[in-house]
Amino acid sequence: MSMDDKSDEKGMHVRADEFLQLFKKGAEFTQDLLKENERLRYRIFQLEEHQRKGGAPASLVEENRLLAARIEELEREKDEILGRIRQIEAENNDFATRYVEIEEENNNLANLYIASYQLHSILDFDDVLKVITEIIINLIGAEEFAVMLIDEKAGLLGAVAAEGISLDDVPKVRPGEGTIGAIAATGESHFLEDPAGYVRDLSNPMVCIPLKIKDQVIGVIVIYKLLIQKKAFVPVDYELFTLLAGHAATAIFSSRLYSDSERKRSTMQGFINLLTK
């Protein structure tokens, strides 16, 4: 948990204690106010009865006026306290909401940490793609997406893994062309501002995240549809995307190097076996 998160959590507890103390004082004051209000109204009633029956001395008339002014003052104080209580309730609701958001963010980041640890412990290329797919589904909340890598020989981006759509349906793209190609060329992420209004276009995804090793883009993650329970992206999603892209790119790069080295080792071992027979 970051220092800002700890500060937010500490502030929530302080606000909660403040609210409880103010609520108790407000409740006690309200009870006292109601009793005082009742006593003053009864006194006014007595004075009005005196006036009605035969007039009241000037002192009673003045007392009547003062009592009415005191009631008005107490009513105003009561309204101020109730207003302050409502304000603190609203603030506490905001803090409670923020607390839930922080807990969710921490859980997501912790899950990503665990998933990334698993990701870097795998050397098989296909297994790496499976773990990346699970992360995108479970942590990002995507339903239709693809992982695209650059084929250095062909010079094209092609899908190597997909969920919710066929690999063959994902178009091959040359870096620099269209939305996907532009992301591969610039290394800048693309997010649609209104994912709820997005209509699927395989050449123009709602999200396109570059997979980079330092400044070199080796591929992209493209997302076309979110899970039904996920209506929009929240701030933590962008952080998750950034972390995921970095871990995924490193794991993919490492697994490809391992696969190439294993293939070369097998080839060399085959030649050695032929020569030694």
Side-chain angles (χ1 to χ4, degrees):
M1 183 181 293
S2 67
M3 292 298 293
D4 289 339
D5 292 342
K6 290 180 179 178
S7 178
D8 284 344
E9 185 173 352
K10 182 178 179 181
M12 293 172 195
H13 290 305
V14 172
R15 286 286 185 180
D17 290 339
E18 179 187 350
F19 171 74
L20 288 175
Q21 293 300 322
L22 185 59
F23 184 81
K24 290 178 181 177
K25 290 181 181 179
E28 293 171 359
F29 179 82
T30 301
Q31 291 296 325
D32 293 341
L33 178 61
L34 291 173
K35 292 177 182 178
E36 178 70 4
N37 202 339
E38 184 179 354
R39 187 186 70 80
L40 293 176
R41 289 186 184 279
Y42 180 70
R43 181 59 178 155
I44 289 175
F45 172 75
Q46 287 180 318
L47 293 173
E48 288 176 345
E49 280 294 304
H50 280 297
Q51 278 187 313
R52 187 177 60 80
K53 290 180 179 179
S59 61
L60 290 180
V61 173
E62 178 62 16
E63 184 180 355
N64 190 351
R65 187 188 66 78
L66 292 175
L67 289 174
R70 178 57 178 161
I71 288 176
E72 184 178 349
E73 181 183 354
L74 290 173
E75 290 284 356
R76 186 168 58 253
E77 290 179 6
K78 182 191 74 172
D79 291 340
E80 289 176 358
I81 288 181
L82 291 177
R84 178 58 179 157
I85 288 175
R86 284 191 292 269
Q87 180 183 352
I88 292 181
E89 284 178 339
E91 291 175 357
N92 280 347
N93 288 335
D94 291 339
F95 275 112
T97 301
R98 180 56 183 151
Y99 182 81
V100 171
E101 290 175 352
I102 290 173
E103 285 297 304
E104 184 177 356
E105 290 175 10
N106 288 340
N107 288 335
N108 285 337
L109 292 174
N111 289 334
L112 179 60
Y113 174 80
I114 295 171
S116 63
Y117 180 82
Q118 179 186 5
L119 194 59
H120 292 299
S121 67
I122 300 172
L123 291 175
D124 183 78
F125 179 69
D126 292 334
D127 289 341
V128 166
L129 292 179
K130 288 178 182 177
V131 174
I132 292 173
T133 298
E134 291 174 2
I135 293 174
I136 297 174
I137 294 172
N138 297 324
L139 296 185
I140 302 300
E143 183 176 351
E144 294 180 358
F145 59 89
V147 178
M148 304 178 70
L149 297 179
I150 296 177
D151 184 337
E152 295 181 358
K153 293 182 180 179
L156 295 172
L157 276 162
V160 294
E163 183 71 23
I165 51 177
S166 170
L167 280 176
D168 296 332
D169 289 338
V170 181
K172 294 185 181 297
V173 179
R174 189 173 301 280
E177 296 180 356
T179 301
I180 299 174
I183 302 306
T186 64
E188 298 293 331
S189 300
H190 164 74
F191 295 94
L192 198 67
E193 292 184 1
D194 180 23
Y198 171 75
V199 178
R200 191 179 75 174
D201 179 350
L202 294 179
S203 298
N204 295 283
M206 70 165 64
V207 175
C208 187
I209 306 296
L211 300 173
K212 295 192 294 185
I213 302 293
K214 292 187 177 180
D215 293 329
Q216 181 183 358
V217 177
I218 65 170
V220 296
I221 295 174
V222 290
I223 296 178
Y224 299 103
K225 185 179 179 182
L226 301 177
L227 294 170
I228 191 170
Q229 65 267 27
K230 191 175 184 68
K231 304 300 182 183
F233 296 118
V234 294
V236 71
D237 286 329
Y238 303 114
E239 187 173 358
L240 287 172
F241 273 125
T242 301
L243 293 173
L244 169 60
H247 288 296
T250 303
I252 288 172
F253 185 74
S254 299
S255 65
R256 292 177 91 175
L257 285 178
Y258 176 78
S259 297
D260 290 343
S261 65
E262 280 295 295
R263 188 163 51 252
K264 290 178 181 178
R265 187 188 68 80
S266 298
T267 301
M268 290 296 295
Q269 188 63 48
F271 278 124
I272 292 172
N273 290 338
L274 287 173
L275 293 173
T276 57
K277 281 184 177 180

